Amino acid sequence: MAIAIGMLIGLVLGLTGAGGSVLAVPLLTLCLHLPLQDATGIALGAVAASAVSGVLARFRDGQTLWIPALILAAGGMALAPFGQWLALGLPEAWLASGFAVLAAIISVRMWRQAVQQPDTTHVIRAGTASPVHGGAMLCPFSPNGQFQLRPRCIAGLGSGGLAVGVLSGLFGVGGGFLIVPLLSMLSAVPYVTAVATSLVVISAVSSAGFASYLLMGHGVPTYLLAQVAVGGVIGMAVGFVVGQHIAGETLQKIFSVSVIVLSALMLMQHLS
């Protein structure tokens, strides 16, 4: 069961615009009966392993904006431990309620994206595609492919990274659901570049969140974590192979509904 959950984490991370942890946390609590804080820690570790494998697989494709990724990652890594600290002081029912609200926001965004921008749902994290340049906004993205960093752009990226870090530490989410639209709002960066860049940030922030989870004295069932992490890497590899054939708006709608249902079941479990 743990390997299957891990494979689903990696597959979702590879095929959708949101991190697999938003689906992994309720699955780990419902199927493996883990406490919510343990589920978030294991989910972060598994997502980090899956995301790293995805980054390595597409390292040379030229899609990643490394400097923006580092700015986002720095902010996220700085506040992921703070999110973990907040989680320690909250009752599980409150955490479950907050997670359910966050999951609902993610699901609505993904559903709207599938309806309003169906072409973007065919872009997968594990795959490759050619960049398309153009436009200029708060963070200009020039025709020659250079991301032009200016003070307001850096401030926007840094603020986004801080928000991702808090949410990652608090709820065990990777943050892709926030990173991708943030990059799209700040610049005319192509969607495929945004998802490639977000994968780097997810790797760093999830790793920092998992490390802070360990440093705060949580015991981790190593064998269980290994199973989920191995499954996640396999799922990402599967996404690399089959993603071009199955990624799309229908898949994204199914995922958004699944997140709502699982989060609601998890919330009911903690409130009962």
Side-chain angles (χ1 to χ4, degrees), residues 220-231:
V220 176
T222 307
Y223 184 64
L224 176 60
L225 174 61
Q227 286 183 307
V228 179
V230 168

Side-chain angles (χ1 to χ4, degrees), residues 145-200:
Q146 298 299 314
F147 196 92
Q148 302 175 35
L149 291 172
R150 296 174 179 174
R152 288 196 303 166
C153 174
I154 295 173
L157 291 171
S159 299
L162 294 174
V164 168
V166 173
L167 293 175
S168 179
L170 188 58
F171 297 118
V173 294
F177 69 92
L178 180 61
I179 299 165
V180 172
L182 175 67
L183 286 170
S184 299
M185 286 189 299
L186 290 179
S187 73
V189 58
Y191 191 83
V192 66
T193 303
V195 295
T197 303
S198 75
L199 198 60
V200 176

Side-chain angles (χ1 to χ4, degrees), residues 72-90:
L72 283 162
M77 294 174 72
L79 283 194
F82 175 68
Q84 277 283 317
W85 176 79
L86 284 178
L88 286 175
L90 293 175

Side-chain angles (χ1 to χ4, degrees), residues 44-71:
L44 283 171
V47 167
S50 303
V52 168
S53 69
V55 171
L56 293 176
R58 61 186 303 164
F59 184 76
R60 297 182 180 179
D61 67 7
Q63 297 294 333
T64 304
L65 300 172
W66 289 100
I67 295 179
L70 291 175
I71 295 173

